[in-house]
Amino acid sequence: MRRLPALSSLKVFEEVGRSGSFTRAAERLNLTQSAVSRQVRRLEDELGEPLLIRRHHRLELTASGARLLRALGRALHEVETAVRAIRERTDPARLRVNVPPTLAKRWLMPRLGAFREAHPEIDLSVTTQLSDSLADSGLLDCAIRFGDGEWPDVQSQRLMTERHIAVCAPALAERAGDPPDLRRFTLIHVLADADRRYLTWARWLDAAGLPDLPDAGGLEFDLLDLSVEAACQGLGAAVVDRGMVARELARGELVQLGSVAAEGHESYWFVTHRGEGDPPKVALFRQWLLGEVERA
């Protein structure tokens, strides 16, 4: 058995410590000021050490009080998160999905209006943290992942494979001639790590029959969004997935260089918990996603 003070006393102290006042804590807890003061005094007696320094019109935490307050803040946050996860996992109207940030912004967001029209009964929660693991999460219902589809402890279904095209600003394309001479372009690269590029340019050049064109120089960005913006601003040419720049192409902010579309080596996958059938809300989202991919 854990030898802990009563949870009620700990919660009262946590509120007093955060508010710095018996009066404000009493109002928030719907207790009398004397009841709050007694609870804190009882906790101090049980611990054998003061947690608060009672000064005129204000309270100060002792070193032990500050330490306990920090620990209670972390612990109560964990409890609150777990309770919320349990409650929300059983909510048939709330669908929680984790999506890579670039896909969320450039592909999913423009289509969410259509999903809301088709399924107004479902409320979406979209997160984009790359560390948000479906396998370890009790809160997520499903996810979209980029990779080879080989992940332990989850089920995956391929949604779409990238099709890389070369793009640049219209004015830059005009100055480069017809057909455009790629040697006249600054190449824009996306970084996979601080010192390593994605190989999208090398693979596109191979597919275009231009393997000898040098791609060592150029601009580098750690976000695809920045690379696309740089291309829109006329700073150079970028190789990107066609689906990620559909709006810029439609608006005429970017134009495609040539007709080559090189297939990417990895894909986007719809990922769900292993060993579980789709809940109705997940099944609806899966079906809608597949329909949007087919129409893209």
Side-chain angles (χ1 to χ4, degrees), residues 28-250:
R28 293 172 183 173
L29 295 169
N30 198 27
L31 296 171
T32 65
Q33 181 178 340
S34 60
V36 169
S37 181
R38 284 197 302 273
Q39 289 258 35
V40 174
R41 182 68 71 183
R42 189 178 302 123
L43 179 60
E44 290 176 318
D45 291 342
E46 186 173 351
L47 295 175
E49 188 168 345
L51 301 173
L52 296 169
I53 300 172
R54 294 154 176 83
R55 302 194 187 279
H56 189 57
H57 295 314
R58 63 191 176 91
L59 299 172
E60 292 182 8
L61 291 165
T62 64
S64 295
R67 180 181 181 185
L68 180 59
L69 182 63
R70 288 193 297 270
L72 284 172
R74 291 191 297 268
L76 292 173
H77 175 73
E78 288 291 325
V79 171
E80 182 180 6
T81 300
V83 170
R84 178 172 174 263
I86 293 169
R87 286 175 175 167
E88 292 194 352
R89 278 282 286 172
T90 60
D91 181 359
R94 174 65 60 182
L95 177 67
R96 294 155 217 81
V97 54
N98 181 257
V99 186
T102 297
L103 184 74
K105 176 182 177 180
R106 294 191 157 272
W107 190 89
L108 182 61
M109 191 67 71
R111 293 169 167 80
L112 283 186
F115 179 78
R116 290 289 292 166
E117 287 183 12
H119 302 290
E121 73 282 8
I122 296 179
D123 296 317
L124 273 175
S125 292
V126 179
T127 60
T128 59
Q129 297 95 327
L130 296 177
S131 60
D132 201 348
S133 170
L134 180 74
D136 300 330
S137 175
L139 187 59
L140 288 174
D141 296 300
C142 56
I144 299 176
R145 290 282 176 266
F146 182 71
D148 59 9
E150 298 295 327
W151 297 289
D153 304 321
V154 295
Q155 299 179 118
S156 57
Q157 178 181 8
R158 189 195 305 268
L159 288 175
M160 54 188 171
T161 298
E162 287 190 318
R163 301 289 293 176
H164 294 132
I165 60 173
V167 295
C168 72
L172 191 61
E174 290 175 6
R175 293 199 299 269
D178 186 20
D181 181 3
L182 285 174
R183 290 175 176 80
R184 301 178 62 182
F185 285 89
T186 297
L187 303 188
I188 300 171
H189 302 271
V190 181
L191 292 170
D193 295 307
D195 59 352
R196 182 173 63 89
R197 297 170 171 177
Y198 285 109
L199 299 177
T200 46
W201 261 114
R203 290 167 179 160
W204 186 89
L205 290 171
D206 282 342
L210 300 168
D212 297 328
L213 190 76
D215 65 344
L219 297 172
E220 297 178 335
F221 297 96
D222 66 344
L223 296 175
L224 176 62
D225 265 348
L226 293 177
S227 299
V228 172
E229 182 62 24
C232 289
Q233 295 298 326
L235 298 180
V239 168
V240 295
D241 175 46
R242 190 200 307 272
M244 298 300 107
V245 291
R247 286 177 298 174
E248 287 81 2
L249 291 170

Side-chain angles (χ1 to χ4, degrees), residues 247-259:
R247 286 177 298 174
E248 287 81 2
L249 291 170
R251 295 170 183 165
E253 297 170 4
L254 291 174
V255 294
Q256 182 175 346
L257 296 170
S259 59

Side-chain angles (χ1 to χ4, degrees), residues 1-7 10 46:
M1 295 289 291
R2 291 187 174 90
R3 299 183 60 186
L4 294 174
L7 182 59
L10 293 172
E46 186 173 351

